[in-house]
Amino acid sequence: KQEVTQIPAALSVPEGENLVLNCSFTDSAIYNLQWFRQDPGKGLTSLLLIQSSQREQTSGRLNASLDKSSGRSTLYIAASQPGDSATYLCAGRRDDKIIFGKGTRLHILP
Amino acid sequence: NAGVMQNPRHLVRRRGQEARLRCSPMKGHSHVYWYRQLPEEGLKFMVYLQKENIIDESGMPKERFSAEFPKEGPSILRIQQVVRGDSAAYFCASSTDYSTYNEQFFGPGTRLTVL
């Protein structure tokens, strides 16, 4: 059974710092790994999707990596801004369903 | 090209009433997925449908919940005799077809509150 774990559950950092969010998954046979952003009371915004054959994806200040052999993914956020404050969800695709972690609540201190 | 649409965005029901949640997939998408996010919990898969067919309902509660995706019109998630534990955000996603490389695109969600 696929499980996705995100540590830490919450994180507060000063504005301008670089930071890394961690995600681990138990089933290495995932098809892809996706990072989402969710603002309070809002829907999901897809940030980056890494196919199983890829190792990383980049978009602006965001970089996501995937290591299937170790069952880990990281989301790197450079030069953090207060607008980055949100919950970040890691999710692995297996068959027809996406398995989500519970998320990391990120608070960027101005 | 509009994204996945869900309505209503907010729904309030009293215990014992029925809740109907609607999802219109992106244009050209024929596959729909429903997920539920309980308070302080991660999103969990409920059901996967194609037009007129339920493909995978392994995440659906055994009672009171049903889903359909008719040939015409939106997909409907129906909850009968709602209880307080059904209060959650329900998200719909759609994709073009079943392929491990096809991304699922998510709607804004319907937030159900059961009084």
Side-chain angles (χ1 to χ4, degrees):
Chain A
K1 179 183 175 184
Q2 174 70 278
E3 290 187 2
V4 177
T5 304
Q6 293 186 248
I7 295 174
L11 180 65
S12 293
V13 299
E15 178 180 3
E17 284 198 5
N18 303 325
L19 59 99
V20 175
L21 305 182
N22 295 298
C23 171
S24 61
F25 46 92
T26 55
D27 184 358
S28 62
I30 57 169
Y31 300 145
N32 60 49
L33 192 291
Q34 196 165 3
W35 284 91
F36 294 87
R37 168 181 173 144
Q38 185 175 29
D39 292 281
K42 302 295 184 183
L44 305 176
T45 300
S46 178
L47 298 174
L48 292 163
L49 185 152
I50 312 173
Q51 299 291 356
S52 61
S53 58
Q54 299 173 323
R55 283 196 168 268
E56 66 177 343
Q57 284 284 342
T58 298
S59 176
R61 294 182 294 108
L62 306 179
N63 175 275
S65 67
L66 174 63
D67 184 342
K68 287 185 59 178
S69 62
S70 66
R72 295 180 187 276
S73 176
T74 61
L75 178 67
Y76 174 82
I77 303 176
S80 58
Q81 303 170 357
D84 294 331
S85 297
T87 296
Y88 290 81
L89 303 174
C90 170
R93 171 82 182 272
R94 186 73 167 99
D95 297 322
D96 52 27
K97 58 181 70 73
I98 296 174
I99 311 298
F100 286 86
K102 290 187 178 182
T104 294
R105 288 190 309 279
L106 176 64
H107 182 48
I108 305 299
L109 305 168
Chain B
N1 184 12
V4 177
M5 300 180 70
Q6 292 187 246
N7 67 82
R9 296 291 302 277
H10 300 274
L11 181 62
V12 179
R13 286 287 179 267
R14 297 190 179 280
R15 282 179 296 171
Q17 292 184 319
E18 178 181 285
R20 282 181 177 247
L21 288 62
R22 297 175 188 78
C23 169
S24 296
M26 288 179 67
K27 186 177 181 180
H29 287 195
S30 58
H31 296 237
V32 166
Y33 314 78
W34 286 93
Y35 294 80
R36 177 169 68 172
Q37 186 176 36
L38 292 165
E40 305 304 319
E41 294 288 328
L43 282 87
K44 295 205 186 310
F45 169 83
M46 298 181 75
V47 62
Y48 160 42
L49 311 102
Q50 296 177 26
K51 287 283 188 181
E52 301 184 280
N53 286 302
I54 296 175
I55 306 303
D56 181 351
E57 56 182 348
S58 58
M60 286 280 270
K62 299 298 182 203
E63 298 179 346
R64 303 185 297 107
F65 284 71
S66 62
E68 63 177 9
F69 189 16
K71 186 176 181 180
E72 301 291 338
S75 175
I76 306 287
L77 180 67
R78 181 183 179 204
I79 311 172
Q80 295 178 289
Q81 298 177 313
V82 296
V83 301
R84 288 217 172 109
D86 297 332
S87 295
Y90 292 82
F91 291 94
C92 167
S94 72
S95 66
T96 52
D97 55 33
Y98 176 71
S99 163
T100 58
Y101 292 97
N102 279 347
E103 185 175 353
Q104 295 180 17
F105 293 86
F106 283 80
T110 293
R111 279 157 183 81
L112 172 66
T113 301
V114 179
L115 301 177

